[in-house]
Amino acid sequence: MRRNKKKSPNAVGKHGQHTMGAQASASFDRESPTPHASHAAASFSDGETPGPAQNPYSRRVTQAEYTKKRKSKKRKKIVLAVCIALLVVVLGGVGAAFAYINTINANLNEGVDDDLRDALVDTKYAGDPFYMLLMGTDGSEERSESAEYAGDQFRSDSMILARIDPQSKQVTMVSLHRDTLIDMGTNGKQKLNAAHSIGGAAYTIEVVSKFAGVPISHYAEIDFDGFKEAVDALGGVEVDVPMEINDEDAGGHLDAGLQTLNGDQALILCRARHAYDAYGDGDRYRAANQRLVLSAVAKKILSSDPITMANTIQALSKYITTDFNVTDIVSLASSMKGLNTDTGIYSAMEPTTSKLVNGTWYEYVNEKEWQTMMQRVDQGLPPTTEDEIDEKNGTVLASTGDKAGATSNTSSTTTATRSGKVAVKNGANIDGAAATAATKIEKLGYTTETGNASSSFSTTVVVYSNDSQKEAAEEIVKQIGNGVATKNDGRYTFSTDFLVVIGSDWK
């Protein structure tokens, strides 16, 4: 993997290369990292200075100075000349925009080979929910020039599995612990972050997809230099820093509190681990802060003007590798417009247990909790049923998108709007579980009956009979804060509108 992308002589850059002027902004009329080619129309050619086209026929013509016949001829000449001038401007502008977008696409897709595309399930963005693997590598110029890291293959320093749902305007980010012990088949048992050094991005995608049990459609990899450039291109991002950071290994000091961070400051927050040595696993806190900063970046991008968006994409293209192209990015950003970053972004970290083995620390995934988390994520639910905030330092370790909990948003807007009957069965041998769930369900307007299931269940399910009930079943899942919505395939017998069976994952 490259550490910093090499620029061709015609590359679009921030220092000395072309940047989009005001007349080029039409090609980025949507908010996000992706312009549609059909909207791309810059008004200047390569090498020209952007500015309004000069019309040589700008003088006013009056009847007192010219005869009617001469005036008619003059008008024809003017119309013809103006048409020719406009044609030249339009054709030249389209060519410049085409070249501009192609240059950025070449930068974005540099290093994306057939192996990587084969590892992705669906490489064409179509507007449906999809999973994307985000990887951060510490391949900055500062590190590449350091003797300490000479010959380092730059293992992925951070990984986030994101579920992006443009239809529901929701984003879920699950951080994966880099020290998680993974069985990589012929490569043996390795830490997760070793996958990148073994087989690059393509192999990492395969390993993560199998580990999480979900298909991965897109991927993006960025190094730390690119992250700084992107934040600076946005004019900084507003972040409520949970606590004061003093971590020389991460780059220095940060004050606590709400503030606008520049690229260097944002990078300190994303790198800081040792600042949390007194609180526990530094990687877990660092991952939480990375998600915090990414949420701030998303908020800034979705509210930025076209020129800022263009500059951000331009800055990112030098340091990011992704299968997305510019058009995909603009389409995605446009479809995500309206995302409420305070309530529509869920986050958590893969549940693990730390163990010291032969002098090396490993993270062992808590299988049952991990499966439950990914089932929730796949249903469009928050990874956890409630927020997890470290009371000692204020770091948000898990977010449901609602400080009052995962169920409050649903109950506040859908109370007593449903009708029908729901059978609630206790399949977990947890005292009072069915009654607690029934109470929550009744707030939606349903009547309930409770009892015990005939067998034990590991996962809570909300069973429905036909496709028209799917949305209501998912609503019940959100209301009780647990489980998955499941269409009856004949295994369940019930006479009510819905059947809820509480599993041992009940919390």
Side-chain angles (χ1 to χ4, degrees), residues 426 428-434 436:
N426 190 340
N429 295 319
I430 300 175
D431 291 341
T436 300

Side-chain angles (χ1 to χ4, degrees), residues 368 425-437 451-452 456-458 460 482 502-507:
K368 188 175 180 179
K425 304 296 183 181
N426 190 340
N429 295 319
I430 300 175
D431 291 341
T436 300
N452 292 320
S456 298
F457 279 66
S458 59
T460 300
N482 243 94
I502 304 300
S504 56
D505 62 340
W506 178 259
K507 296 180 180 180

Side-chain angles (χ1 to χ4, degrees), residues 246-303:
N246 284 298
D247 191 337
E248 290 302 320
D249 290 338
H253 172 270
L254 274 184
D255 291 326
L258 186 65
Q259 57 196 287
T260 298
L261 304 180
N262 62 27
D264 286 317
Q265 293 170 322
L267 195 52
I268 290 173
L269 188 57
C270 288
R271 274 177 163 171
R273 280 192 305 147
H274 297 301
Y276 295 91
D277 285 345
Y279 301 101
D281 181 7
D283 280 325
R284 189 167 297 277
Y285 292 100
R286 179 176 66 171
N289 287 333
Q290 288 171 351
R291 299 191 301 269
L292 177 66
V293 174
L294 283 177
S295 297
V297 169
K299 183 175 183 177
K300 192 68 176 285
I301 284 177
L302 292 176
S303 63

Side-chain angles (χ1 to χ4, degrees), residues 55 57 76-90:
N55 183 358
Y57 301 96
K76 290 179 181 179
K77 290 180 180 179
I78 291 174
V79 171
L80 179 60
V82 169
C83 287
I84 292 174
L86 287 175
L87 186 62
V88 170
V89 169
V90 169

Side-chain angles (χ1 to χ4, degrees), residues 69 78 159 179 201 262 280 341 411 460:
K69 183 176 180 180
I78 291 174
M159 268 183 267
D179 291 334
N262 62 27
T341 54
S411 61
T460 300

